[in-house]
Amino acid sequence: MPPAPAPRLRADISGLPRYVPGRPAPSDLVDKLSSNENPYPPLPSVIAALREELGRVNRYPDPTSSELVTELSTALTVPAHHLVPGTGSLGVTRDLLRAAAGEGDEVLFAWRSFEAYPQLIWATGATPVPIPLHDERHDLKAMADAVTDRTRLILICNPNNPTGTAVHRAELDRFLDRVPAHVLVVLDEAYREFVDDTDVPDGITCYRDRPNVAVLRTFSKAYGLARLRVGYAVAHPPVAAALRACTVPFGVSGPAQAAARASLNARPELLERVRTLVTERTRLTCALRIAGWTVPDSQANFVWLRLGTRTPAFAAACEAAGVMVRPFADEGARITVGTPEQNDRLLKIAADWPT
Ligand SMILES: *Cc1c(COP(=O)(O)O)cnc(C)c1O
């Protein structure tokens, strides 16, 4: 008998870009500075909230995360119906793309930026339009110039992963003034809590009087809940409603909702940790520069070293010394800010490396 034909899939599926995750750490003894995770374990109050949820996992979660939405609405002073939680801000990004773009449409984004964007855009059937960074920063003029009749959505990663650079208020306002009102601009602020440059705008102030601006935030980074998968969008009602229509029902689990709420409650304690990481970011940046490295100013919980073709060798040297960084082929390495001890170990390796 001839073999049964394979199921028919999308013709372009084998050409789709894939998300290449950071490799898992080979052991707990390794310093994992490769995935922009928060190095600190969950607070006791967050663990207590999770424990309470474990006894209820036979039940479906609240499908709209209503209590989390109410609390976020108060914390951010935005109306509750402008908030849409999802399975990490990645899940929300995917749903927003689906809500706004399809076959024949174009989605603009800077490159290099967040690894996941090309894959998520392709999966909607839309055409990804990467706009090269200029000096490791978003080139907002080139991005505005690249808008066509087919542009549906523009992703701005602020601060940018993996370079850490941030877009400033004046240039963002100029850009938003140029983008047609029917094009959705999504400000991905996964690292917002780590921003200490007052010229970097809070996306929520930009969205308020601009119906075509949406903001993405996450509990994964500053709040240290990466494994639970919870993030959210802030958007005006037509966009928020379209986004809800594209969202997987019951996507945000009960434990994720409970831990997110407990984290909002523990905000002062968690933001204290963020301050420590920001201080460490400054220390890491200065020490690397003194050792001869060129390091762009980072507003996130990582720093970027443009190593070019020496990237794989640097990543291997780090790994041999028990530190994992995130290499991007022949472009550079991204190093997540860890605890002071972890950063010291990284600095020792970097100081010995011929820059
Ligand atoms: C880490 C990251 C995210 C993913 O956040 P989740 O909420 O864990 O899905 C989104 N955007 C950027 C730019 C990131 O670096």
Side-chain angles (χ1 to χ4, degrees), residues 82-326:
H82 290 207
L83 284 161
V84 187
T87 53
S89 56
L90 267 169
V92 184
T93 307
R94 185 193 60 169
D95 295 341
L96 257 183
L97 285 164
R98 286 200 201 173
E103 207 138 329
D105 298 327
E106 292 175 348
V107 178
L108 300 184
F109 57 104
W111 198 251
R112 178 168 282 279
S113 186
F114 189 30
E115 272 263 87
Y117 293 156
Q119 178 196 355
L120 295 181
I121 296 164
W122 269 112
T124 68
T127 305
V129 181
I131 309 294
L133 297 174
H134 180 76
D135 259 353
E136 312 290 11
R137 305 182 76 246
H138 275 68
D139 186 344
L140 291 180
K141 181 173 177 304
M143 292 183 85
D145 289 342
V147 172
T148 71
D149 287 348
R150 298 198 299 161
T151 308
R152 285 297 181 85
L153 192 148
I154 305 175
L155 283 159
I156 305 285
C157 187
N158 200 31
N160 188 49
N161 177 1
T163 57
T165 54
V167 164
H168 288 178
R169 185 175 293 104
E171 57 179 334
L172 184 63
D173 281 339
R174 270 197 305 277
F175 168 78
L176 292 172
D177 288 344
R178 277 190 67 194
V179 172
H182 61 265
V183 174
L184 180 61
V185 178
V186 177
L187 306 175
D188 182 345
E189 296 191 335
Y191 302 97
R192 173 64 208 171
E193 294 83 356
F194 298 97
V195 170
D196 67 351
D197 177 349
T198 51
D199 284 338
V200 178
D202 177 332
I204 292 190
T205 62
C206 306
Y207 116 98
R208 288 196 198 275
D209 57 356
R210 297 195 190 257
N212 67 326
V213 172
V215 182
L216 298 174
R217 297 272 177 90
T218 178
F219 285 94
S220 296
K221 309 281 164 58
Y223 290 87
L225 301 181
R227 194 172 280 209
L228 284 171
R229 318 301 310 127
V230 52
Y232 57 93
V234 184
H236 287 273
V239 176
L243 174 55
R244 275 184 211 105
C246 293
T247 296
V248 176
F250 303 109
V252 185
S253 73
Q257 292 180 36
R261 294 179 59 207
S263 299
L264 280 178
N265 254 321
R267 212 144 60 132
E269 249 172 300
L270 290 170
L271 293 182
E272 192 52 47
R273 290 175 163 191
V274 167
R275 268 190 291 280
T276 305
L277 292 169
V278 168
T279 306
E280 280 296 297
R281 173 181 79 204
T282 307
R283 183 174 76 92
L284 201 55
T285 304
C286 292
L288 285 166
R289 285 177 181 164
I290 289 168
W293 293 86
T294 301
V295 189
D297 280 325
S298 172
Q299 286 290 300
N301 68 338
F302 51 84
V303 296
W304 172 246
L305 301 180
R306 187 164 286 279
L307 282 141
T309 52
R310 300 193 306 154
T311 303
F314 177 76
C318 289
E319 194 164 335
V323 177
M324 288 182 74
V325 300
R326 179 74 156 86

Side-chain angles (χ1 to χ4, degrees), residues 70-86:
T70 304
E71 288 161 17
L72 278 173
S73 161
T74 307
L76 302 167
T77 52
V78 301
H81 66 293
H82 290 207
L83 284 161
V84 187

Side-chain angles (χ1 to χ4, degrees), residues 2-8:
R8 285 189 186 159

